[in-house]
Amino acid sequence: MAAMRYAWAVVAAGLVLVMTGCAAQAAPEGDELYRDGEKRYLTMANTMHTVLMGVHEGVWDVPIGGYGAFPIACDLGHADDGYRFAYRRSVALSDVDGQALSDAAVKAFADAGLESETAVYGEGDRAEWNVIAEDDAVGRAVVTIRPAEGTVTASADTPCTPGDSDALSAMVGDDENRGDDILTWRSIPATEGVDSVPQFYFPAGGPVYFNEDESPVIPQPVVTDPPKAPYGS
């Protein structure tokens, strides 16, 4: 009986470790938080750029709030409960061949090192293709093709990771030095094209991509050498 109680104690201890593994991770702070977030974001953004260009080698729209570099609290309202990144892109095309673009998305994910699955909803003119891939670094990535609307959208939601989302967001946007003249959202690219490179630091005095009325600046500023944040090494 004593041996059985010991065995159950060992099992229970193991379950506790499994259930609390994420919470037990020490959350990085300061420079370490920034560099960890930078690595995670750039890994996801570069992977998704490969996917975008494999589906449509042109200019994709970035909705306000969808650029993906600013962390989101995993538990809304509790910034210190971990963060994740949410990436959104879309493009309107005059001629959308659902099957052809779906095949292109599957190949694009493969070229990016990800396995994907395809689900088709609806029939005929209302059919919708969804090509879905999941990965420990990128998280859940989806390319959605809607021929009836002439649109293709791409999204990625990374897994949650320890860290204070508010503290990291302030470093990404350099909010303390920005002032009130240019809001942070105006300094985020409104499009992603062939030559676009992902940015994870938006300092005061940087390019402005959106007008005050929320319309994109045309032509968009071109940044091929993103500024380096003064955090860590």
Side-chain angles (χ1 to χ4, degrees):
M1 183 65 71
M4 183 176 292
R5 285 198 298 269
Y6 175 77
W8 277 112
V10 171
V11 171
L15 288 173
V16 169
L17 287 175
V18 170
M19 294 174 65
T20 62
C22 292
Q25 296 181 46
E29 298 179 350
D31 298 347
E32 183 183 358
L33 172 62
Y34 178 86
R35 291 304 170 189
D36 184 62
E38 178 184 45
K39 180 180 178 180
R40 292 175 186 277
Y41 172 72
L42 293 182
T43 296
M44 179 271 288
N46 280 311
T47 297
M48 291 305 296
H49 182 78
T50 297
V51 173
L52 292 188
M53 295 302 108
V55 175
H56 171 67
E57 194 173 13
V59 178
W60 293 66
D61 293 327
V62 180
I64 292 176
Y67 187 76
F70 285 82
I72 299 172
C74 293
D75 182 0
L76 295 181
H78 299 276
D80 58 351
D81 281 349
Y83 69 90
R84 61 183 177 85
F85 295 113
Y87 170 107
R88 302 289 184 269
R89 303 289 186 271
S90 66
V91 63
L93 302 174
S94 58
D95 182 19
V96 176
D97 183 326
Q99 187 61 61
L101 287 176
S102 174
D103 292 343
V106 171
K107 183 180 184 303
F109 275 124
D111 290 342
L114 302 178
E115 294 185 5
S116 61
E117 296 182 354
T118 303
V120 182
Y121 304 105
E123 299 179 352
D125 294 340
R126 304 307 300 178
E128 173 185 298
W129 278 259
N130 289 269
V131 184
I132 306 164
E134 294 197 35
D135 176 79
D136 289 343
V138 175
R140 179 179 173 84
V142 182
V143 172
T144 300
I145 303 151
R146 297 186 176 94
E149 298 177 7
T151 62
V152 182
T153 60
S155 66
D157 293 280
T158 66
C160 282
T161 190
D164 188 310
S165 60
D166 285 350
L168 179 55
S169 182
M171 289 188 283
V172 173
D174 192 21
D175 287 341
E176 290 186 1
N177 298 318
R178 187 174 302 281
D180 297 328
D181 53 339
I182 298 296
L183 299 176
T184 299
W185 62 267
R186 294 186 61 197
S187 301
I188 312 300
T191 61
E192 180 168 344
V194 177
D195 298 324
S196 297
V197 291
Q199 290 182 242
F200 194 65
Y201 177 58
F202 304 89
V208 174
Y209 297 90
F210 283 93
N211 296 307
E212 292 183 6
D213 64 0
E214 299 188 5
S215 63
V217 170
I218 300 177
Q220 285 275 286
V222 177
V223 175
T224 56
D225 186 19
K228 303 300 180 183
Y231 309 118
S233 57

